[in-house]
């Protein structure tokens, strides 16, 4: 096609488009929605809320009405020629906002939100510091109780006495689930109030729940003191969390009522009290902290103390002996009846305890033993094995440990080789040494076996060369197991202990035995 023909064709096409626009014909270049004559701020809200209409000139001059989806608004106020304020009328639905002025002006659309309501529930109104608090928010449509799903919710916190709401630290915003629920788990450090802010969307109005208060109790703990000597000073100590300042109070149960008897200033979360019991018997104490503005008052668990007044020895008897036996049982040194009689079994249990604590092992329960019973050193298995029974002989401590599932079950007094020279069964000279290493129970004998080197009572042999765990069978439990190494090489325990454990899994054939220095 020549350039002249192309020019004519383009000119003709342009003429047809113009003609079509002028006559309403179907030939058009494009169709576009007319721009709104004014803006609406905000674009969504509740019935009864106020919106602002902003034009570009004086188009609102002579205004005679504002309409939301055709429903006339109330309380219309002309701010100036291009700015109006109006209240969204009751009963209206979402739609376009129009203004009747010199002409009808069409603005932006407005979405009428559905009103909602919300509640906040706490898992506890009072809890001890360090415990978890569950805060649950629930949002529903007002007047229908239908849940609102997918709504953004924020947890807000007001510290005690602050009267200022903040976003609760460490709690992210969440969306309500299909039941309209949202929840957070947190550990409050102090008293405060919580509420949930359900934020607005185009479809649903936001809402703030009523505030719910939680009180936080400090966690008070007392270090256990099981016995205390009469007419002597004993320290009661403990901790408070969080590490507060101020005072705490020691209370004693007297005639059925708790009475404050001491106070102490807290330092770095620790406190202590000195008591001097004036009579024998059982005393009960607890510690109290008082309301400080940020934390509620709190009370520790009660603690019982048995007051004793004498050094206990062989043949002692009474309630203090019974208290001693119960404490030894708790610490795995005693496996007999807590009968209040200080017999050989009790003496050897105390001796084993003294050996572990580094106290001279005389078997007497004096001030050092009473004090150590309150805060004892613990002894552990050197070769713990889960799921089995085992024996460990600690030559350095001169104790025998019975282990179960990797933990100490019982601690027995023992006497191993004395290291001296002696004449062996062949007439030669040998040194009294207990072999070390890992062994198993090879075989056992019931009753008494008499040899040139002595008597073996119910022996359980852990080597095939004659080394055994055994008693002496003389009925003199004190002399058979002295508080020092004295045997030719065997592991000697009391006759009562041998009889008690001979048929147990610890001394069964094949059971594991560790011996170490």
């Amino acid at each position: 096609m020549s350039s002249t023909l192309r020019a004519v064709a383009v000119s003709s096409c342009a003429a047809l488009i113009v003609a079509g626009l002028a006559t309403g014909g179907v030939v058009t270049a494009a169709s576009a929605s007319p721009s709104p004559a004014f803006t609406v701020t905000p674009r969504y809200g509740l019935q009864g809320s106020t919106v602002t209409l902003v034009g570009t000139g004086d188009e609102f001059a002579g205004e005679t009405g504002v309409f939301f989806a055709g429903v006339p608004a109330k309380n219309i106020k002309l701010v100036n020629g291009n700015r109006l304020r109006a209240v969204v009328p009751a009963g209206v639905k979402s739609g376009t906002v129009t203004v009747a002025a010199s002409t009808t002006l069409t603005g932006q659309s407005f979405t009428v939100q559905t009103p909602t309501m919300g509640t906040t529930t706490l898992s506890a109104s009072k809890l001890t510091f360090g415990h978890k608090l569950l805060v649950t928010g629930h949002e529903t449509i007002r007047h229908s109780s239908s849940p609102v799903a997918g709504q953004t919710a924020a947890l807000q916190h007001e510290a005690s006495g602050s009267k200022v709401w903040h976003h609760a630290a460490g709690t992210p915003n969440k969306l309500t689930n299909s039941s309209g629920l949202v929840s957070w788990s947190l550990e409050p450090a102090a008293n405060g109030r919580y509420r949930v802010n359900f934020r607005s969307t185009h479809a649903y109005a936001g809402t703030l729940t009523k505030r719910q208060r939680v009180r936080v109790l400090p966690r008070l703990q007392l270090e256990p003191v099981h016995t205390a000597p009469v007419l002597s000073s004993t320290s009661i100590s403990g901790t408070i969390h969080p590490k507060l300042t101020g005072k705490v109070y020691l209370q004693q149960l007297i005639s059925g009522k708790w009475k404050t008897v001491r106070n102490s200033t807290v330092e770095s979360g620790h406190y202590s009290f000195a008591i001097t019991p004036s009579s024998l018997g059982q005393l009960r104490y607890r510690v109290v902290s008082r309301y400080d503005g940020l934390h509620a008052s709190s009370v520790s668990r009660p603690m019982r103390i048995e007051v004793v007044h004498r050094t206990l020895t062989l043949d002692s008897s009474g309630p203090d002996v019974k208290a001693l036996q119960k404490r030894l049982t708790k610490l795995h040194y005693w496996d007999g009846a807590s009968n209040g009689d200080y017999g050989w079994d009790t003496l050897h249990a105390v001796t084993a305890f003294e050996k572990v604590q580094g106290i001279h092992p005389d078997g007497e329960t004096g001030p050092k033993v009473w004090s150590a019973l309150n805060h004892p050193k613990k002894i552990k298995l050197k070769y713990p094995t889960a799921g089995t029974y085992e024996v460990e002989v600690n030559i350095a401590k001169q104790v025998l440990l019975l282990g179960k599932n990797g933990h100490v079950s019982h601690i027995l007094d023992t006497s191993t080789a004395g290291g001296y020279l002696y004449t062996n069964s062949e007439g030669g000279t040998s040194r009294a040494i207990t072999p070390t290493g890992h062994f198993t129970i090879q075989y056992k004998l019931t009753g008494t076996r008499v040899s040139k080197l002595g008597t073996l009572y119910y022996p359980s042999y852990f080597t095939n060369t004659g080394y055994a765990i055994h008693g002496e069978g003389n009925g003199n439990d004190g002399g058979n197991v002295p508080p020092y190494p004295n045997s030719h090489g065997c592991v000697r325990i009391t006759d009562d202990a041998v009889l008690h454990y001979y048929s147990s899994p610890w001394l069964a054939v094949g059971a594991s035995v560790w011996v170490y220095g």
Side-chain angles (χ1 to χ4, degrees):
M1 182 182 293
S2 68
S3 58
T4 303
L5 291 176
R6 281 198 299 270
V8 171
V10 170
S11 177
S12 300
C13 182
L16 287 171
I17 292 173
V18 172
L21 290 173
T23 62
V26 296
V27 181
T28 59
S31 60
S33 301
S35 299
F38 55 86
T39 61
V40 178
T41 306
R43 294 288 303 279
Y44 54 87
L46 291 169
Q47 297 174 14
S49 60
T50 299
V51 298
T52 301
L53 315 181
V54 179
T56 57
D58 293 334
E59 55 266 69
F60 296 151
E63 169 270 326
T64 58
V66 176
F67 302 87
F68 288 79
V71 179
K74 297 180 179 179
N75 302 326
I76 302 168
K77 182 178 180 181
L78 180 63
V79 179
N80 52 44
N82 72 330
R83 188 179 293 264
L84 281 171
R85 287 195 185 127
V87 175
V88 180
V92 70
K93 296 182 179 180
S94 301
T96 303
V97 182
T98 57
V99 175
S102 57
T103 61
T104 299
L105 304 173
T106 301
Q108 294 174 313
S109 63
F110 180 84
T111 301
V112 178
Q113 294 173 312
T114 301
T116 63
M117 60 180 295
T119 58
T120 298
T121 304
L122 305 183
S123 59
S125 61
K126 182 171 64 175
L127 76 163
T128 302
F129 175 80
H131 289 190
K132 294 284 188 181
L133 176 71
L134 183 67
V135 182
T136 302
H138 187 207
E139 187 182 24
T140 59
I141 296 174
R142 192 181 298 171
H143 308 307
S144 75
S145 299
S146 298
V148 179
Q151 196 88 333
T152 299
L155 182 63
Q156 295 183 337
H157 172 249
E158 179 191 46
S160 180
S162 72
K163 297 184 179 180
V164 177
W165 288 93
H166 297 280
H167 187 98
T171 60
N173 293 346
K174 295 186 176 183
L175 297 178
T176 55
N177 63 19
S178 59
S179 299
L181 296 171
V182 65
S183 63
W184 297 266
S185 178
L186 59 155
E187 293 182 8
N191 298 343
R193 295 177 176 85
Y194 293 91
R195 70 183 183 187
V196 179
N197 180 13
F198 293 102
R199 296 181 177 174
S200 290
T201 63
H202 280 75
Y204 296 98
T207 186
L208 273 176
T209 65
K210 291 183 178 180
R211 60 189 183 183
Q212 299 291 333
R213 185 177 70 167
V214 63
R215 292 183 295 165
V216 177
L217 285 63
R219 188 170 74 252
L220 291 163
Q221 293 178 303
L222 284 171
E223 296 295 331
V225 177
H226 301 279
T227 58
V230 70
L231 301 177
S232 298
S233 179
T234 295
S235 177
I236 297 176
S237 59
T239 57
I240 184 170
H241 297 280
K243 296 179 179 180
L244 306 177
T245 57
K247 290 187 178 295
V248 291
Y249 302 86
L250 181 68
Q251 293 187 337
Q252 181 181 350
L253 187 63
I254 301 174
S255 300
K257 295 183 179 181
W258 289 102
K259 296 184 179 180
T260 299
V261 293
R262 298 283 188 278
N263 67 71
S264 175
T265 300
V266 178
E267 295 182 4
S268 300
H270 295 265
Y271 52 84
S272 63
F273 310 90
I275 62 167
T276 304
S278 59
S279 60
L280 298 176
Q282 192 178 88
L283 304 178
R284 295 184 69 185
Y285 292 96
R286 70 181 188 183
V287 175
V288 175
S289 66
R290 295 178 180 169
Y291 173 75
D292 64 359
L294 295 178
H295 301 87
S297 58
S298 186
V299 181
S300 72
R301 290 183 177 180
M303 178 178 68
R304 290 183 174 87
I305 299 178
E306 191 75 31
V307 181
V308 297
H309 75 292
R310 56 179 176 160
T311 295
L312 302 177
T313 60
L314 188 65
D315 296 328
S316 296
S317 62
D320 46 2
V321 177
K322 192 171 184 178
L324 167 67
Q325 292 170 332
K326 288 183 177 180
R327 182 60 178 153
L328 290 171
T329 298
K330 181 79 172 178
L331 299 175
H332 308 294
Y333 290 91
W334 171 257
D335 199 24
S338 299
N339 54 13
D341 294 327
Y342 204 111
W344 285 113
D345 290 338
T346 305
L347 182 142
H348 282 288
V350 172
T351 300
F353 178 79
E354 290 172 320
K355 289 177 177 180
V356 173
Q357 305 308 309
I359 301 171
H360 176 66
D362 58 8
E364 294 185 352
T365 304
K368 289 184 179 180
V369 172
W370 284 121
S371 178
L373 285 167
N374 285 326
H375 306 287
K377 298 176 184 177
K378 294 183 179 180
I379 189 169
K380 297 181 179 180
L381 297 174
K382 188 174 182 179
Y383 303 99
T385 305
T388 62
Y389 292 82
E390 61 184 308
V391 175
E392 289 192 5
V393 180
N394 188 322
I395 294 176
K397 294 289 187 183
Q398 286 291 284
V399 292
L400 183 148
L401 309 178
L402 300 179
K404 181 180 178 182
N405 296 327
H407 300 283
V408 173
S409 181
H410 301 288
I411 307 168
L412 305 181
D413 188 19
T414 191
S415 178
T416 58
Y420 50 80
L421 294 175
Y422 67 94
T423 301
N424 58 38
S425 57
E426 285 78 27
T429 300
S430 297
R431 186 171 295 279
I433 296 175
T434 300
T436 58
H438 184 211
F439 310 94
T440 58
I441 301 296
Q442 302 290 315
Y443 62 98
K444 304 168 64 168
L445 295 177
T446 302
T448 303
R449 177 181 182 274
V450 179
S451 71
K452 293 182 179 180
L453 298 179
T455 302
L456 284 69
Y457 187 60
Y458 282 79
S460 297
Y461 292 90
F462 58 89
T463 73
N464 55 14
T465 55
Y467 292 97
I469 299 169
H470 68 86
E472 290 275 316
N474 294 331
N476 181 10
D477 290 338
N480 291 345
V481 185
Y484 50 85
N486 190 49
S487 77
H488 291 97
C490 288
V491 177
R492 196 184 302 170
I493 59 178
T494 68
D495 292 350
D496 282 351
V498 166
L499 292 175
H500 189 79
Y501 294 107
Y502 182 78
S503 299
S504 72
W506 286 289
L507 295 181
V509 173
S512 183
V513 178
W514 291 90
V515 184
Y516 51 86

